[in-house]
Amino acid sequence: PQDFDYILRRVVDNMVVWQGEHDVIAECIAALVTLSSPTERKSLFIQSGVVPTLGSFQDPSSPFYGLPDQAQMKLAMVIVRVCTAAQDPAGVADRLQALLLPATHQLNTIASDPDSRQLAQQPDTMLRVTHSCQVLNGAFRASTSATAGIILELAGPALPAAIQLLRLYN
């Protein structure tokens, strides 16, 4: 457990230090995917306490904010995968809610703005929409029978907003 925690924290630290280097970020995300794969490691992942740190990538004050789209999707996948290690269903729901609510709120806020058509054309807004959709994509891709219902319940209300905004970009 101590070795795993050390390796996991080193990967996360490297993501912070090398955040501008997309190749390094891709390698770090690949390492996180590998570390989160075996069932026995998922609980170690949760115990390490890095899930909230990783989950903060949607917060503009986070060192992970602005990761490339693929990295955001895969990071969301990692978080969903390790959420299943929580022994209580409420713990799973809480971690998934912490991941999905910022993305769904972002999409709903932009779509409900009276000037959403103009707002959606601004580069910053396009980036926020893309990133929010990548989070939802990653969550849905990593869902299992244990998490699909919770993910759909949390993300489902934002899907019409996502579709509305994506139609503006076609």
Side-chain angles (χ1 to χ4, degrees):
Q2 290 176 334
D3 293 338
F4 181 83
D5 192 50
Y6 174 78
I7 292 168
L8 188 57
R9 290 193 185 281
R10 295 299 307 165
V11 170
V12 172
D13 289 347
N14 280 331
M15 286 178 65
V16 172
V17 172
W18 298 100
Q19 62 183 316
E21 299 294 327
H22 294 268
D23 292 342
V24 175
I25 293 297
E27 291 295 323
C28 289
I29 297 289
L32 290 173
V33 169
T34 301
L35 290 171
S36 69
S37 294
T39 305
E40 62 275 0
R41 289 191 195 155
K42 290 178 184 177
S43 60
L44 293 173
F45 215 108
I46 294 288
Q47 292 170 10
S48 73
V50 301
V51 173
T53 303
L54 292 175
S56 71
F57 70 92
Q58 299 173 79
D59 180 357
S61 66
S62 167
F64 302 122
Y65 186 74
L67 289 174
D69 293 343
Q70 277 294 100
Q72 290 205 12
M73 182 199 54
K74 288 185 179 186
L75 194 51
M77 290 175 71
V78 166
I79 293 168
V80 169
R81 282 184 184 150
V82 300
C83 282
T84 60
Q87 297 301 319
D88 62 312
V92 172
D94 289 346
R95 286 183 179 87
L96 290 174
Q97 185 173 13
L99 172 68
L100 295 172
L101 280 185
T104 59
H105 176 73
Q106 190 87 253
L107 292 168
N108 286 327
T109 300
I110 295 167
S112 66
D113 190 291
D115 296 323
S116 64
R117 200 170 205 66
Q118 290 177 329
L119 183 65
Q121 300 308 317
Q122 296 175 359
D124 179 56
T125 304
M126 291 171 125
L127 191 62
R128 292 184 323 193
V129 168
T130 302
H131 288 231
S132 296
C133 287
Q134 289 295 347
V135 170
L136 297 182
N137 183 14
F140 282 120
R141 290 178 86 176
S143 66
T144 63
S145 59
T147 58
I150 299 167
I151 291 171
L152 194 54
E153 183 181 318
L154 292 169
L159 293 179
I163 292 168
Q164 173 191 338
L165 292 167
L166 291 175
R167 282 187 180 149
L168 293 174
Y169 298 124
N170 283 335

